[in-house]
Amino acid sequence: MSGALARRLGLAFVFAWFLFGGIGHFAKTDFFVSIVPTYIPKPLAMVYISGIFELLGAVGVLIPSTRRLAGLGLFLLTLCVTPANVNMWLHPQQFPDMPEWAYSVRLVVQVLLLACIWWSTQPKVLKQENDHGG
């Protein structure tokens, strides 16, 4: 598989992840509100806001002129929602619908998602430097 194809597949994954995740914020609002840590104010508003930004980011990564900025936004958004995943990992008894091991897997997936977002949406700096004799 070529690097360009792998990058496109990564980009497709990022798009699908945030498209379906963003929709989920509106279709399964109660679930998303339930995982917001108690120290975060206005959990319902936070769920709607993050859902909107997930949808905007998903569309943004499809447009070459906005891909870099959308990727940066999704990267930061993913960092911002990480406390919800940590909260689930720390308090699995509050979420009995999933086995406890799944919360550890979620944290690993979060790190892999961050890497995929960055890799598929940010410019290839080393290639650009090499193309310019750097």
Side-chain angles (χ1 to χ4, degrees), residues 83-103:
N85 290 323
V86 172
N87 182 54
M88 293 178 82
W89 180 69
L90 291 173
H91 306 286
Q93 69 281 2
Q94 294 176 5
F95 311 98
D97 292 340
M98 285 176 54
E100 285 191 31
W101 60 263
Y103 301 113

Side-chain angles (χ1 to χ4, degrees), residues 41-115:
K42 302 190 186 288
L44 179 61
M46 294 301 159
V47 168
Y48 286 145
I49 290 167
S50 60
I52 289 167
F53 280 114
E54 286 192 17
L55 293 170
L56 289 172
V59 171
V61 298
L62 295 179
I63 304 166
S65 63
T66 62
R67 182 171 297 145
R68 184 181 157 284
L69 185 58
L72 183 58
L74 289 174
F75 188 91
L76 293 173
L77 178 63
T78 301
L79 289 177
C80 288
V81 301
T82 296
N85 290 323
V86 172
N87 182 54
M88 293 178 82
W89 180 69
L90 291 173
H91 306 286
Q93 69 281 2
Q94 294 176 5
F95 311 98
D97 292 340
M98 285 176 54
E100 285 191 31
W101 60 263
Y103 301 113
S104 297
V105 171
R106 274 180 76 108
L107 292 175
V108 172
V109 168
Q110 194 89 0
V111 171
L112 295 173
L113 177 62
L114 285 165

Side-chain angles (χ1 to χ4, degrees), residues 8-47:
R8 284 185 187 265
L9 290 173
L11 195 59
F13 175 77
V14 169
F15 167 76
W17 182 277
F18 287 102
L19 175 69
F20 292 115
I23 291 169
H25 281 71
F26 298 96
K28 299 283 186 180
T29 305
D30 291 343
F31 167 75
F32 284 95
V33 168
S34 77
I35 67 172
V36 175
T38 56
Y39 59 85
I40 297 194
K42 302 190 186 288
L44 179 61
M46 294 301 159
V47 168

